[in-house]
Amino acid sequence: MSITLIPSAEAASLRITGDIETKLTIPADPSFEFGGEPFMHAYYIALSDGSLLKAVRHDEPRWDVIIEGAGTIEIDPSGKTLTMHWGIEWITLATNCNASAVAQQSTRNLPLFHPELGNLTAIA
């Protein structure tokens, strides 16, 4: 069970073949040039196995694996396609325009022992 992702820069779409057969519209603006530097808009792909991918919509697509889920990801040596070897139930796309957030892992005081609340002893 697997799916293959095939982006199309000129059509602004992502074709999916395999267990899921569909064509999705890429929610990113086309590439543009600013100050002589080319800027390529990226978009994110979330898969039901827990994988999170970043893709760049351009004549030469680029794939970045942000979070590797349960499946095995295989990027074609030419970089044109990405194959996910796993039973995928759903896939979703999101734009790169400030539409993502990452949970920050930090330690916090337990409310039971919070120094500002004055309860520094455990309940017996």
Side-chain angles (χ1 to χ4, degrees):
M1 298 173 70
S2 65
I3 62 168
T4 300
L5 309 177
I6 307 160
S8 173
E10 63 276 353
S13 63
L14 180 69
R15 191 173 60 145
I16 303 166
T17 61
D19 290 341
I20 299 172
E21 295 281 339
T22 191
K23 184 183 260 188
L24 300 174
T25 301
I26 296 173
D29 296 327
S31 302
F32 66 96
E33 192 170 311
F34 180 75
E37 297 275 334
F39 285 88
M40 296 167 285
H41 288 274
Y43 58 99
Y44 294 94
I45 303 168
L47 300 165
S48 61
D49 78 321
S51 296
L52 179 62
L53 311 170
K54 180 179 177 184
V56 174
R57 183 179 155 219
H58 193 258
D59 295 334
E60 296 179 19
R62 189 179 75 230
W63 306 95
D64 293 321
V65 179
I66 298 172
I67 298 173
E68 196 168 335
T72 303
I73 298 170
E74 180 182 321
I75 300 173
D76 181 56
S78 68
K80 302 255 185 227
T81 64
L82 180 139
T83 302
M84 168 60 72
H85 299 287
W86 193 260
I88 299 298
E89 297 174 10
W90 54 262
I91 180 171
T92 187
L93 304 180
T95 182
N96 189 31
C97 300
N98 297 324
S100 62
V102 178
Q104 299 298 318
Q105 303 226 356
S106 64
T107 58
R108 296 184 190 176
N109 293 329
L110 292 173
L112 181 65
F113 301 107
H114 198 283
E116 293 174 7
L117 299 177
N119 52 357
L120 298 175
T121 59
I123 298 174

